[in-house]
Amino acid sequence: MITTMFRRNWNCATLYSRLVNSSSPHNFTHLRSSFSSSNLHLSPSVATSKSTDILSFVRHYGNCYSELSKARLSLLVVATSGTGFVLGSGGAVDLSMLSYTCFGTMMVAASASTLNQVFEIKNDAIMRRTSQRPLPAGRITIPHAVAWASSVGLAGTAVLATQTNMLAAGLAASNLILYSFVYTPLKQIHPVNTWVGAVVGAIPPLLGWAAASGDISLNSLILPAALYFWQIPHFMALAYMCRDDYAAGGFKMYSLADPSGRKTALVAMRNSIYLIPLGFLAYDWGVTSGWFCLESTALTLAISAAAFSFYRDRTKERARRMFHASLLYLPVFMAGLLVHRRTDNQQFLEVNAKGFVESSSSVETPEIDDKNGNQKIKGRHRNRARPPVAYASVAPFPFLPAPSYDVV
């Protein structure tokens, strides 16, 4: 530092002497050019340093916000909400409203995940799996995390309220409260937290359906029911694999009160079996075609087989296999729902076609006595027939009038 100051003072002295002693314009020009080149030589390093500091700042807080939001888990929540929106659309999907629904859901999910880590900072610091999260690692302060959670939570709810409807916004706000202020503290109190968490996971597809249709019907419960029953074997496998870590963190998981693991595996297998009827119900209620019924049954039998294998041999390896099977189940199930979904137009055409077949096949077969009253002749007689225009107006031209006249 002293050397640098000495050099700067020497440069100033030299500059002054040149100003005093120089008498020609050429010297002034040379002096001005040397001064400018000196400034140009110093400014790029300062600019580079500032840009590096800005990039480091953005990268640091970007990583912190991503980890606080549990980005991958939040994206899964968005996927279930988006699937519910498409299923609830009936016909054509409003892409603009779908985007707003996914964006609002992502922000609310990020807020809930952040508040979860704020409340569990001490527990996360103990557990090996979570000790490097931003809050226990000291990479971000608690007030900063609370401010982030509050801002994105309010913004996400506002987006859903203004761009979709109040029902969707109410479901989002309710789920945020249920996850942050009921499920999170319950994890340190009672094992029932797993079932409460399953309810939390089942609400996003209902939110998406409500955002698209504006109401909640019986058909809207297919995907939420699948998510509820799916989460039980999924989290039972995870809790069994990480039971030591959960015990160290002070969480009351179901597997900790089951040293043999038999009850844990039985609960996982039972809820896997509960998934089997959902494919039949989706077809029977008109949500999907019959192909989904077959595909869903095969998929559910696969995860049930993994759960049964875990029940027979209760090891971490079998639990991990069931965990991976559950990870495969959900995206395939949702993809099947989207591929085989039935729109309102398809259901309308099927109903009309069925009515057409029934009306065209309705005939009477009266029994007629002959003159002597000894024989009975059975004849077919059509009371009323629909004209050809009426047939054509069923599907291709619903706007045409259907004239009515008797066929002799």
Side-chain angles (χ1 to χ4, degrees), residues 359-364 381-387 391 403-408:
S359 63
S360 62
S361 62
S362 62
V363 294
E364 289 186 358
H381 174 67
R382 235 180 248 275
N383 284 340
R384 195 176 188 83
R386 297 176 67 191
Y391 301 153
S404 177
Y405 54 89
D406 293 331
V407 176
V408 181

Side-chain angles (χ1 to χ4, degrees), residues 122-133 136 241-249 251 316 320:
K122 294 181 179 179
N123 306 82
D124 287 345
I126 299 173
M127 298 172 62
R128 182 180 58 184
R129 185 171 60 92
T130 57
S131 60
Q132 294 305 312
R133 286 177 175 176
M241 290 188 297
C242 305
R243 51 168 35 182
D244 296 335
D245 220 13
Y246 280 122
F251 294 112
K316 287 189 176 181
R320 185 175 292 105

Side-chain angles (χ1 to χ4, degrees), residues 84-90 97 101 160 163-171 205-217 220:
F85 184 94
V86 175
L87 294 175
S89 298
M97 190 174 292
T101 301
L160 291 172
Q163 302 301 325
T164 60
N165 52 62
M166 291 302 297
L167 178 58
L171 287 171
L206 204 61
L207 184 159
W209 184 290
S213 63
D215 60 3
I216 296 175
S217 61
S220 66

